[in-house]
Amino acid sequence: MARVISVFLPNWPIDRLRRVAGDTAPPVDAPLVVAAREKSRRVVVAADATAQAAGARVGMALSKAQVLVRGLVVVDLDTKADADSLERLGLWMLQRVSPIVALDPPDGLVIDSTGADHLHGGEAALLETLLGRLTMSGVTARAAIADTWGAAHALSRFVAQPSFVAPFGHGEAILAPLPLEALRLPASMASDLRKLGFLTVGDVLAQPRAPLALRFGPELGRRINQAVGDIGEPIDPMRAEDLIEVRRPFAEPIGAPETIARYVGKLVVALCSELELRGLGARRLDLLCHRVDNTIEAVRVGMATPVRDIKRLTRLLCDKIETIAPGFGIEIMCLRATIVEPLDQHRSVSSLLEDTEPDISDLIDTLVNRVGDRAIYRFSPVASDVPERSVARIAALAPEIGGGWPSHWPRPTRLLLRPEPIETIALLPDNPPVSITWRGIRRRVKRADGPERVFGEWWKADIELSAVRDYFRIEDDTGERYWVFRAGDGENAETGSHKWFLHGVFG
């Protein structure tokens, strides 16, 4: 079943202005609105949080907003600049999220996530990652995923806070409580429907279609059918101008897996020839299969390093053929190198005594494309004395950053995801526990070493200005060794709760 993501950018003109203008943008604490001309007057089309808190609203006359908000900064709407920035954002999502991304102007994007969510750890994780990256870039966004473009569009604008994942096969019931604007109707049509007593989408769905079509024309019925999935709404994917791409049309539609695999191999050969001419290797490939029913089946594979090996790329793509539903047949196959990088050819071995470095990139690529990049990673040290902050996940083949973990005190081989509370018997302030009770089992301490005092990072949070932890390495009477700490220095309450926690296990 197809799944569609709708990304709604409620404050896109403001966000675009602050991101592009940089140092020349108005101060963040200054109330800012974007205005446009509507017939004979100027109205507010976007307002930042400061302006909204002072009383400015979208749709309000600009003259009224200037009376309500002191020191209001007004910027004229630049439709072309907003559209160009939205297109650049869509191209970024095309590289990072899914092979099928289209614009939903003036303030949205639509993404076909079918088959791509598992690479990000599931639908909920995909939305969380997407919204997190947008937030870090200074873009306010809400997103929803549903079975149809119309449903996802409605949910992203009227339900998502900031994200919403509709269940598979949700039907029309999920749309029923939403306002009429959720159907993407013209404002005049929604106003006329309200005059007749229709307030929600459910009110319209409960009525026969024929009388509504006679009164409002085919647009209302078309939008309803698109939202509930009775008719298709194809997504025409955008593409970059410099995208490396090869295509293969077919006089007769194809559908057999072995036929698809054969033409995948031919497309890979053509693509690698083009990459070789440019001295590039592919980091991400998208295979788009255009079916005769005007839908697109997409396959995406990623590589840990730039690759131009025909056999390797063909195998990675053919491993995904089982996910392609050809329907009544595929009439066009298109292979794109979505992300490319310069390819450094490995130096060949010139001596019998020279060892070659083992290349595990092929194995990494196979595993990542089967289970997702979230499941294949390695740990890297981070400059922090706080144990849970001293570790970061990085890509499996990411270059070494040259750092290391503290070596003045031993660290456990297994660090728990978060410290677990334990019950202890200990003499304050500096003595290790005599016994601990962890997960319902009491353990008597035979040996202990410590304390190792770890101070809070006051430059990150004011609450950590005086916070400390005292860590101990302990060994119980069975020889098991644990890493425990007391929150606080054992004397002053402002340094911590003085509760004990188990944070790691030594091998």
Side-chain angles (χ1 to χ4, degrees):
M1 178 179 291
R3 297 288 276 178
V4 180
I5 299 174
S6 176
V7 180
F8 174 44
L9 310 173
N11 227 19
W12 178 241
I14 298 288
D15 295 338
R16 195 273 307 171
L17 179 66
R18 294 200 183 279
R19 291 175 67 241
V20 174
D23 295 337
T24 63
V28 177
D29 57 349
L32 173 65
V33 299
V34 175
R37 184 164 295 280
E38 186 179 279
K39 295 182 180 179
S40 60
R41 63 174 190 161
R42 297 180 71 195
V43 298
V44 175
V45 295
D48 69 358
T50 306
Q52 292 181 31
R57 296 291 181 267
V58 174
M60 176 185 291
L62 179 60
S63 56
K64 182 178 180 180
Q66 289 175 317
V67 172
L68 289 174
V69 184
R70 184 178 181 181
L72 183 65
V73 178
V74 181
V75 179
D76 290 331
L77 178 67
D78 190 338
T79 305
K80 185 179 185 304
D82 289 343
D84 291 343
S85 292
L86 187 65
E87 183 176 1
R88 288 194 293 271
L89 182 61
L91 291 174
W92 175 84
M93 291 187 180
L94 180 67
Q95 292 184 332
R96 297 290 184 265
V97 182
S98 172
I100 303 178
V101 178
L103 301 181
D104 190 9
D107 54 10
L109 296 139
V110 60
I111 305 168
D112 187 337
S113 65
T114 308
D117 56 285
H118 78 284
L119 297 176
H120 303 271
E123 292 181 339
L126 171 58
L127 291 187
E128 181 182 357
T129 302
L130 175 59
L131 292 174
R133 290 181 176 180
L134 290 175
T135 300
M136 292 178 63
S137 300
V139 177
T140 304
R142 302 202 298 265
I145 184 167
D147 294 341
T148 65
W149 182 347
H153 183 279
L155 295 170
S156 66
R157 284 151 177 79
F158 297 98
V159 176
Q161 293 294 339
S163 64
F164 183 81
V165 178
F168 283 86
H170 50 72
E172 60 186 38
I174 201 169
L175 301 172
L178 303 183
L180 297 173
E181 288 78 8
L183 291 175
R184 296 177 287 173
L185 301 175
S188 58
M189 186 181 297
S191 177
D192 292 342
L193 284 168
R194 283 196 174 85
K195 292 177 182 177
L196 296 176
F198 298 99
L199 300 178
T200 65
V201 174
D203 296 337
V204 177
L205 294 175
Q207 298 299 315
R209 302 285 176 84
L212 292 175
L214 288 174
R215 174 64 177 82
F216 297 99
E219 177 70 7
L220 177 58
R222 184 173 68 90
R223 287 304 192 188
I224 293 174
N225 290 331
Q226 288 174 342
V228 301
D230 289 342
I231 61 174
E233 189 174 6
I235 300 173
D236 186 17
M238 60 190 307
R239 64 186 300 277
E241 293 182 359
D242 57 347
L243 188 68
I244 302 176
E245 174 185 87
V246 292
R247 298 168 66 90
R248 181 64 182 258
F250 303 103
E252 294 291 336
I254 65 172
E258 57 273 14
T259 306
I260 297 174
R262 183 169 69 253
Y263 284 105
V264 164
K266 294 181 179 181
L267 288 173
V268 170
V269 171
L271 185 70
C272 287
S273 297
E274 185 65 28
L275 290 172
E276 186 173 5
L277 291 175
R278 306 189 189 190
L280 301 173
R283 286 290 307 273
R284 181 159 294 165
L285 293 181
D286 291 336
L287 177 66
L288 304 183
C289 300
H290 298 256
R291 306 192 325 188
V292 296
D293 59 355
N294 205 26
T295 60
I296 301 175
E297 291 287 319
V299 167
R300 166 164 285 186
V301 296
M303 284 67 70
T305 57
V307 177
R308 203 167 61 218
D309 183 86
I310 294 175
K311 291 184 178 180
R312 180 168 166 184
L313 296 178
T314 301
R315 176 176 54 80
L316 291 175
L317 288 168
C318 288
D319 285 345
K320 299 279 190 175
I321 287 179
E322 62 182 14
T323 65
I324 299 175
F328 294 107
I330 298 170
E331 57 183 357
I332 300 175
M333 289 177 62
C334 174
L335 183 61
R336 297 175 174 178
T338 312
I339 300 179
V340 295
E341 293 180 3
L343 180 60
D344 296 328
Q345 298 290 346
H346 294 289
R347 182 169 57 91
S348 60
V349 179
S350 59
S351 170
L352 294 176
L353 299 178
E354 187 175 358
D355 294 330
T356 59
E357 295 183 1
D359 184 8
I360 62 171
S361 61
D362 193 8
L363 173 62
I364 297 297
D365 293 344
T366 301
L367 294 175
V368 166
N369 286 287
R370 287 182 180 178
V371 301
D373 55 1
R374 285 189 166 222
I376 308 297
Y377 57 87
R378 62 187 179 88
F379 289 117
S380 175
V382 177
S384 176
D385 286 333
V386 180
E388 60 266 32
R389 299 175 188 166
S390 64
V391 177
R393 292 185 180 186
I394 62 174
L397 295 182
E400 297 288 345
I401 61 176
W405 283 283
S407 58
H408 50 284
W409 284 89
R411 289 291 183 259
T413 54
R414 179 193 172 196
L415 190 70
L416 300 184
L417 185 61
R418 56 181 57 86
E420 297 185 8
I422 57 176
E423 297 179 5
T424 65
I425 298 176
L427 182 64
L428 297 180
D430 295 326
N431 294 79
V434 177
S435 66
I436 67 171
T437 301
W438 178 47
R439 297 181 179 177
I441 300 177
R442 184 167 181 251
R443 296 169 171 84
R444 187 178 299 277
V445 177
K446 289 297 185 181
R447 298 178 181 85
D449 187 15
E452 173 194 358
R453 177 155 293 181
V454 173
F455 293 90
E457 297 177 334
W458 52 266
W459 57 93
K460 292 184 177 180
D462 293 340
I463 196 174
E464 296 187 19
L465 182 61
S466 57
V468 298
R469 292 178 183 175
D470 283 339
Y471 279 88
F472 294 87
R473 286 185 299 139
I474 63 172
E475 181 179 329
D476 66 9
D477 48 10
T478 65
E480 298 290 340
R481 294 184 300 154
Y482 306 99
W483 205 38
V484 301
F485 72 86
R486 180 188 63 240
D489 60 5
E491 296 178 317
N492 301 315
E494 62 270 14
T495 61
S497 64
H498 294 162
K499 294 181 179 179
W500 288 83
F501 299 85
L502 191 144
H503 204 171
V505 178
F506 291 90

